[in-house]
């Protein structure tokens, strides 16, 4: 039973990102490298925010404090990735054999967003998954039986949100259209703030609004990348890949 | 004992991340052709109008004249148009090769992490090696620290001694002894350590197996491994075996080294790596330079290569030199003429340049005894092939400049010819120590730490390869990755883990 829980939660959280990786990133070496670089960037931001949390000893039990700094550092590093990618665009063309690598400006935004999201999701969920295999599970004596599923669902939400946030963020910086940046930072604070309610097991109040924000953000990212309703329908009809 | 032999063997060769200028000498001419074609569109159209127009073409061309279009380039080309292309194609060695190293490094780490998490044998400390006499049994941290440092110094001395011994043997051309040593240590790894591994894995998963089946499986596994590593075999199989024996060695290190000693050894080995490869009198640098002078590959079985290494130029004869140039020049010709031309020129080259004995085309040609035979077999074919190729070489502007690039390579050793694809090589010791770091991180049970070390090592490898592409000489692969790995291990374990655990327990998602 625990194995079933392990597999279902891991596939729920990491299935879509894995498919996105396999279909869009795995066959292009430069994208893989960018994705790992973005994962490293997220790791650095998380390290810094942990340092802040660790340093301020009395506020350790109030995760809000750590969370605020975590979000700030993550957005700073997202901006850092933007600067890095824009500056090294020429260099990427050099080392890549795919000469259209810089053609879609938001391609790198997508890849780096997926890298950010994957690392964020992995750090959030992988220890939980390792515990879910073990003997015993939550909900029998203490805790709620929905713990693992809701963690996995929120992780998926965060991974996809990070991907879309990067696209919107980069597009906003490129066009100097700052409401997009405000949306990214604002919705990040909103979703993370909502997740603070998870300790009271109000899962409906946290997951449903988070997914609504995910859908809106997905739509915004799609529009930023130049998608229209017609191109959306066309993507279903034709088989050109 | 052979345990010494195996671990120091791996240790001596681990640093030969020596793609360097051996590979750079044939720097992706097809890609250079593509750039050249894209950049010089006008001259392209002129060029394709045939061999006869070559004179006018070359004079029209700004980059033009390597004089009259004779295949052997005379006279210096004006460097301006060619210099930026040479710059470009030096950076072209890039992303694809990084991935070619990411995948095996990741696989090796996966094997080690999977084993550590499931087979508890490798996490249990019962017996220690003779090289680590201080067993860190004291509860005081200070004692543990000096124990760890002393152990790592002893290990470093052993490794340095073995490296120097190896270099002396290599310089004195005692190839038989070296080969015997390598064969003995890979025998031990493939049979003894693999048997212990499979025994512990069967025990951990509670799978019964009789000795007859086990003997059959082990015999086949071991013999196939010996053949594929030391002789010929499919590339993927050889890579798989090398990854597996690197993982086995890493598991041995993780099991038999005391806790703090492992970390001390990692730090000390990366400093040793840095010193041994970069300082002028460093043993590994001497090894690499001697091997390059003699135009021989570094020992088999200790380097992971992402492509098949054909060392055609096993002996340094002048015939080889011109053949190397002729062969190399043919390739850009083929590239520039498009696919049709490619087939013909490639076939011509294959007839002329290939060793008849290398039918599957897989032998890295390490055995120096085999080279004379191969050379003689090749000579008659080479001349006719070269004439066939001569026509091709005439017609293309880029061929001239790329042949000039060939000239620019250091004259005495004609660069060893490589297959179509330029490959990248990493010493097995690098695999071993990366996997030791990640495996040790995973043995404490925290997956965040394992992931952080994994990403840090990959980024370090990426940076090392970037440096390699820029500096183009043998570089130590350990220092940057191990430094990142160690920093992130201690940082994650100390600071990030509590934060991540607190967040996950409350289900707060940042």
């Amino acid at each position: 039973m625990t194995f079933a829980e392990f597999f279902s939660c891991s596939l729920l959280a990491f299935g879509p990102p894995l498919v996105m990786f396999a279909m869009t990133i795995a066959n292009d070496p430069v994208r893989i490298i960018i994705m790992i670089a973005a994962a490293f960037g997220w790791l650095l931001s998380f390290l810094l925010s942990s340092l802040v949390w660790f340093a301020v000893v009395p506020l350790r039990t109030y995760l809000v404090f750590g969370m605020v700094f975590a979000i700030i550092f993550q957005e700073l590093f997202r901006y850092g990735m933007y600067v890095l990618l824009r500056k090294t665009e020429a260099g990427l063309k050099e080392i890549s054999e795919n000469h259209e690598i810089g053609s879609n400006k938001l391609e790198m935004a997508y890849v780096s967003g997926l890298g950010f999201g994957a690392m964020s999701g992995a750090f959030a969920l992988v220890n939980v998954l390792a515990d879910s295999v073990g003997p015993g599970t939550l909900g029998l004596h203490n805790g709620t039986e929905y713990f693992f599923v809701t963690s996995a669902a929120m992780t998926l939400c965060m991974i996809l949100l990070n991907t879309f946030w990067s696209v919107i963020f980069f597009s906003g910086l490129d066009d100097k259209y700052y409401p997009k940046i405000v949306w990214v930072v604002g919705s990040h604070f909103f979703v993370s703030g909502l997740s603070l309610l998870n300790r009271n097991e109000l899962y409906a109040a946290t997951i449903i609004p988070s997914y609504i924000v995910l859908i809106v953000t997905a739509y915004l990212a799609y529009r930023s990348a130049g998608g229209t309703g017609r191109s959306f329908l066309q993507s279903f009809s034709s088989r050109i890949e | 004992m052979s345990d010494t032999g195996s671990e120091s063997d791996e240790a001596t060769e681990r640093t030969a991340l020596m793609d360097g200028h051996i590979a750079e000498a044939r720097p992706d001419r097809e890609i250079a052709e593509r750039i050249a074609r894209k950049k010089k569109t006008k001259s392209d159209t002129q060029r394709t109008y045939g061999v006869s127009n070559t004179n006018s073409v070359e004079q029209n061309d700004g980059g033009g004249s390597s004089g009259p279009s004779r295949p052997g380039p005379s006279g210096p080309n004006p460097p301006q148009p060619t210099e930026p292309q040479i710059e470009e194609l030096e950076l072209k060695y890039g992303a694809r090769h990084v991935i070619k190293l990411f995948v095996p490094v990741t696989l090796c780490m996966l094997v080690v992490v999977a084993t550590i998490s499931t087979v508890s044998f490798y996490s249990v400390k019962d017996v220690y090696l003779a090289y680590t006499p201080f067993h860190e049994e004291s509860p005081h941290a200070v004692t543990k620290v000096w124990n760890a440092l002393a152990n790592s110094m002893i290990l470093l001395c052993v490794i340095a001694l073995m490296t120097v011994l190896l270099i002396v043997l290599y310089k004195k051309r005692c190839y038989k002894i070296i080969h015997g040593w390598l064969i003995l240590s890979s025998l031990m790894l493939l049979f003894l350590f693999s048997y212990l591994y499979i025994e512990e894995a069967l025990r951990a998963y509670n799978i019964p197996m009789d000795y007859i089946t086990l003997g059959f499986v082990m015999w086949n596994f071991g013999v196939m491994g010996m053949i594929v590593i030391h002789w010929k075999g499919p590339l993927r199989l050889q890579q798989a075996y090398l990854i597996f024996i690197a993982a086995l060695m890493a598991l041995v290190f993780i099991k038999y080294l005391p806790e703090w000693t492992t970390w001390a050894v990692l730090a000390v080995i990366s400093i040793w790596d840095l010193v041994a490869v970069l300082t002028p009198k460093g043993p590994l640098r001497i090894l690499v330079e001697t091997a390059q002078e003699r135009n021989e590959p570094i020992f088999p079985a200790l380097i992971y290569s992402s492509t098949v290494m054909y060392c055609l130029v096993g002996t340094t004869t002048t015939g080889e030199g011109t053949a190397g140039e002729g062969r190399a020049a043919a390739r850009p010709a083929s590239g520039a003429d498009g696919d049709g031309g490619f087939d013909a020129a490639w076939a011509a080259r294959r007839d002329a340049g290939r060793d008849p004995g290398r039918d599957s085309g897989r032998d890295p040609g390490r055995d120096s005894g085999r080279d004379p035979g191969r050379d003689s077999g090749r000579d008659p074919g080479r001349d006719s092939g070269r004439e066939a190729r001569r026509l091709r070489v005439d017609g293309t502007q880029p061929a001239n400049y790329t042949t000039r690039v060939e000239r620019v390579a250091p004259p005495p050793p004609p660069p060893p010819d490589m297959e179509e694809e330029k490959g990248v090589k990493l010493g097995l010791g690098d695999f071993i120590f990366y996997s030791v770091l990640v495996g040790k991180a995973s043995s404490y049970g925290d997956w965040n730490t394992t992931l952080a070390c994994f990403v840090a090592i990959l980024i370090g490898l990426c940076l090392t390869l970037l440096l390699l592409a820029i500096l183009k000489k043998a570089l130590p692969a350990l220092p940057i990755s191990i430094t990142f790995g160690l920093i992130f291990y201690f940082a994650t374990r100390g600071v990030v883990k509590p934060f991540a655990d607190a967040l996950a327990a409350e289900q707060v998602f940042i």
Side-chain angles (χ1 to χ4, degrees):
Chain A
M1 184 194 101
T2 51
F3 271 116
E5 189 155 46
F6 168 73
F7 279 110
S8 64
C9 290
S10 50
L11 285 175
L12 170 62
F14 295 118
L18 194 64
V19 169
M20 285 159 78
F21 174 78
M23 287 185 65
T24 55
I25 297 184
N27 50 10
D28 191 336
V30 175
R31 291 184 195 163
I32 300 181
I33 296 176
I34 303 283
M35 186 169 160
I36 298 192
F40 186 67
W42 187 91
L43 186 60
L44 281 175
S45 78
F46 196 55
L47 177 62
L48 286 177
S49 35
S50 316
L51 277 171
V52 169
W53 173 84
F54 199 77
V56 185
V57 175
L59 290 180
R60 268 190 211 169
T61 48
Y62 298 101
L63 285 174
V64 189
F65 176 72
M67 186 191 89
V68 165
F69 276 96
I71 297 178
I72 293 176
F73 279 121
Q74 277 182 52
E75 298 305 327
L76 280 177
F77 271 81
R78 207 191 298 274
Y79 177 68
M81 287 299 300
Y82 170 76
V83 169
L84 180 71
L85 283 172
R86 288 292 174 245
K87 285 215 155 52
T88 59
E89 216 166 303
L92 287 178
K93 271 202 160 87
E94 295 291 322
I95 67 171
S96 160
E97 289 162 10
N98 170 15
H99 293 279
E100 289 109 30
I101 192 114
S103 60
N104 184 355
K105 299 196 69 177
L106 293 177
E107 172 188 348
M108 288 299 133
Y110 162 75
V111 170
S112 79
L114 192 57
F116 251 54
M119 199 62 174
S120 149
F123 259 65
L125 200 63
V126 83
N127 274 331
V128 173
L129 285 176
D131 287 337
S132 75
V133 176
T137 184
L138 279 175
L140 298 175
H141 181 68
N142 201 358
T144 162
E145 66 259 32
Y146 298 115
F147 185 87
F148 294 116
V149 174
T150 49
S151 286
M154 277 303 296
T155 307
L156 173 67
C157 186
M158 292 305 293
I159 296 178
L160 293 177
L161 271 175
N162 264 301
T163 316
F164 302 138
W165 280 333
S166 274
V167 172
I168 300 177
F169 195 85
F170 281 38
S171 141
L173 282 177
D174 276 339
D175 305 332
K176 303 240 186 301
Y177 183 62
Y178 294 112
K180 284 187 183 171
I181 317 258
V182 171
W183 169 262
V184 168
V185 179
S187 55
H188 197 164
F189 272 105
F190 178 66
V191 171
S192 291
L194 269 185
S195 69
L196 284 170
L197 292 177
N198 274 333
R199 65 190 312 186
N200 303 326
E201 297 174 17
L202 301 169
Y203 294 128
T206 57
I207 294 187
I208 295 179
S210 303
Y211 270 84
I212 294 176
V213 171
L214 172 68
I215 294 174
V216 174
T217 313
Y219 175 71
L220 283 177
Y222 187 67
R223 292 303 298 264
S224 299
T228 60
R230 176 171 307 170
S231 63
F232 183 68
L233 291 173
Q234 269 180 358
S235 71
F236 286 114
S237 60
S238 61
R239 286 268 167 215
I240 304 169
E241 175 43 59
Chain B
M1 55 180 138
S2 7
D3 196 16
T4 318
S6 58
E7 65 188 59
S8 51
D9 271 350
E10 265 70 47
T12 54
E13 278 326 294
R14 64 193 166 331
T15 57
L17 173 61
M18 44 166 284
D19 193 27
H21 44 270
I22 292 184
E24 294 303 337
R26 194 204 80 56
D28 275 355
R29 287 200 181 85
E30 283 87 7
I31 300 179
E33 294 320 300
R34 265 182 263 148
I35 311 167
R37 253 178 293 144
K38 280 186 169 59
K39 290 206 163 172
K40 303 181 177 183
T41 46
K42 193 168 75 134
S43 49
D44 269 342
T45 54
Q46 287 171 344
R47 200 182 308 131
T48 53
Y49 288 152
V51 182
S52 55
N53 288 338
T54 49
N55 279 339
S56 51
V57 167
E58 282 163 8
Q59 267 127 34
N60 285 339
D61 232 340
S65 46
S66 106
S69 50
R70 289 285 77 85
S74 47
N77 270 343
Q80 280 82 353
T82 57
E83 280 307 318
Q85 265 124 21
I86 295 178
E87 286 309 311
E88 278 185 17
L89 51 87
E90 282 165 359
L91 288 178
K92 265 311 182 190
Y93 160 66
R96 200 162 41 97
H97 303 95
V98 175
I99 300 303
K100 284 186 181 170
L101 282 186
F102 271 12
V103 174
V105 167
T106 310
L107 281 175
C108 190
M109 290 185 199
L110 271 178
V111 171
V112 171
V113 168
T115 309
I116 295 272
S117 0
T118 50
V119 179
S120 60
F121 172 73
Y122 288 103
S123 321
V124 165
K125 308 266 179 226
D126 39 24
V127 180
Y128 292 107
L129 293 174
Y131 309 108
T132 54
F134 305 103
H135 295 164
E136 294 181 18
E137 278 146 13
S138 146
H140 305 293
V142 182
T143 321
K144 286 196 199 199
V145 167
W146 76 252
N147 274 349
L149 285 175
N151 281 338
S152 52
M153 281 303 146
I154 295 175
L155 265 174
L156 181 67
C157 291
V158 169
I159 288 175
L161 207 67
M162 290 296 164
T163 312
V164 170
L165 182 62
L166 196 64
I167 305 297
V168 164
L169 283 176
Y170 189 65
K171 282 213 141 200
K172 301 260 183 265
R173 297 176 187 267
C174 306
Y175 294 130
K176 293 266 188 309
I177 303 183
I178 296 179
H179 283 300
W181 186 3
L182 287 176
I183 289 182
L184 204 63
S185 52
S186 44
L187 256 177
M188 221 187 99
L189 268 175
L190 280 169
F191 284 98
L192 182 61
F193 283 127
S194 309
Y195 168 72
L196 291 174
Y197 178 83
I198 195 170
E199 187 190 17
E200 290 305 325
L202 290 174
R203 186 175 297 161
Y205 287 107
N206 209 12
I207 300 173
M209 187 180 276
D210 54 304
Y211 277 117
I212 301 175
T213 313
L214 190 61
F216 182 74
V217 166
M218 281 310 305
W219 172 252
N220 279 291
F221 179 78
V223 169
M224 192 162 68
M226 291 302 292
I227 291 176
V228 133
I229 293 175
H230 291 280
W231 198 49
K232 305 183 200 200
L235 179 68
R236 290 282 176 234
L237 199 58
Q238 182 189 41
Q239 291 174 337
Y241 267 101
L242 288 174
I243 293 176
F244 183 66
I245 64 177
L248 276 183
M249 274 308 299
L251 287 168
V252 163
F253 273 123
I254 296 176
K255 178 172 173 62
Y256 290 113
L257 287 178
E259 301 282 328
W260 297 36
T261 308
T262 317
W263 303 107
V265 164
L266 281 171
V268 161
I269 289 282
S270 5
I271 300 177
W272 158 254
D273 199 11
L274 199 59
V275 163
V277 174
L278 291 182
T279 58
K281 282 297 167 194
L284 293 170
R285 182 155 169 171
I286 294 178
L287 177 72
V288 166
E289 283 170 358
T290 318
Q292 283 171 2
E293 273 168 39
R294 297 182 192 169
N295 243 330
E296 290 162 359
I298 308 278
F299 318 106
L302 293 177
I303 307 265
Y304 173 95
S305 165
S306 64
T307 63
V308 192
M309 271 289 308
Y310 294 150
C311 248
L312 298 182
V313 195
T315 59
T316 61
T317 62
T318 51
E320 286 287 359
T322 48
E325 286 178 34
R327 210 177 299 120
R331 238 175 274 119
S334 54
D337 287 341
D339 289 345
F342 179 75
D343 291 83
W346 193 85
R349 180 168 31 89
R350 191 185 48 194
D351 295 341
R354 287 288 177 265
D355 173 11
R358 249 185 304 115
D359 39 357
S360 66
R362 298 254 186 250
D363 177 23
R366 293 156 189 147
D367 212 353
S368 49
R370 247 179 305 184
D371 290 339
R374 206 185 303 131
D375 290 341
S376 60
R378 239 204 327 252
D379 282 338
R382 202 188 301 139
D383 294 330
S384 56
R386 213 180 314 152
E387 271 128 26
R389 285 192 302 272
R390 234 160 245 245
L391 292 175
R392 298 254 171 233
V393 175
D394 284 346
T396 58
Q397 158 64 23
N400 293 327
Y401 87 78
T402 49
T403 333
R404 193 183 72 88
V405 168
E406 183 82 67
R407 278 278 165 85
V408 169
D417 203 355
M418 303 243 323
E419 242 298 278
E420 284 309 313
E421 219 174 74
K422 186 169 46 168
V424 70
K425 294 192 289 291
L426 187 62
L428 275 195
D430 297 321
F431 280 86
I432 293 175
F433 285 108
Y434 293 161
S435 308
V436 165
L437 199 153
V438 174
K440 197 75 190 156
S442 80
S443 73
Y444 296 115
D446 183 31
W447 292 91
N448 284 340
T449 320
T450 315
L451 258 183
C453 291
F454 170 69
V455 171
I457 287 182
L458 283 188
I459 293 289
L461 187 60
C462 206
L463 287 175
T464 311
L465 286 171
L466 187 66
L467 269 181
L468 181 68
I470 296 175
L471 297 179
K472 289 188 296 302
K473 54 180 209 166
L475 285 181
L478 280 184
I480 302 182
S481 290
I482 299 284
T483 312
F484 276 16
L486 286 174
I487 293 176
F488 275 90
Y489 170 75
F490 287 110
T492 312
R493 191 170 171 204
V495 171
V496 175
K497 173 176 166 8
F499 188 39
D501 283 347
L503 288 175
E506 308 272 328
Q507 288 185 300
V508 174
F509 289 89
I510 53 157

